[in-house]
């Protein structure tokens, strides 16, 4: 697995650690899950936008 070095405010890191501890997960696991969720939501948004655009085009072509 690759390692990534990121910078963030100490206060934000403390909040991440609190959530990770509360869920009995590592900091890395929590951040990976957050990124997976973000990527999934982006794909859903893109799909929704594409679908909406297709519907507009269909209406214009009728």
């Amino acid at each position: 697995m690759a390692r990534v070095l990121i910078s963030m405010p100490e206060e934000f890191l403390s909040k991440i650690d609190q959530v990770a501890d509360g869920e009995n997960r590592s900091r890395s696991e929590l951040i990976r899950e957050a990124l997976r969720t973000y990527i999934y939501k982006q794909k859903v948004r893109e799909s929704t936008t594409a679908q909406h655009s297709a519907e507009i085009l269909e209406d214009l072509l009728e």
Side-chain angles (χ1 to χ4, degrees):
M1 190 172 296
R3 289 177 164 240
V4 177
L5 178 64
I6 61 171
S7 299
M8 66 182 65
E10 288 288 333
E11 183 177 308
F12 189 58
L13 185 59
S14 293
K15 289 179 183 180
I16 290 170
D17 288 340
Q18 287 174 0
V19 173
D21 289 344
E23 296 181 4
N24 293 318
R25 301 193 320 172
S26 71
R27 180 190 290 168
S28 291
E29 287 175 309
L30 182 67
I31 293 170
R32 279 192 300 270
E33 179 64 25
L35 290 171
R36 274 193 291 273
T37 300
Y38 176 82
I39 291 167
Y40 172 78
K41 286 182 178 182
Q42 283 297 105
K43 287 181 180 180
V44 168
R45 281 188 207 107
E46 289 170 7
S47 176
T48 301
T49 300
Q51 179 64 34
H52 182 68
S53 296
E55 290 170 1
I56 291 171
L57 286 173
E58 286 176 1
D59 288 344
L60 288 172
L61 295 173
E62 287 182 347

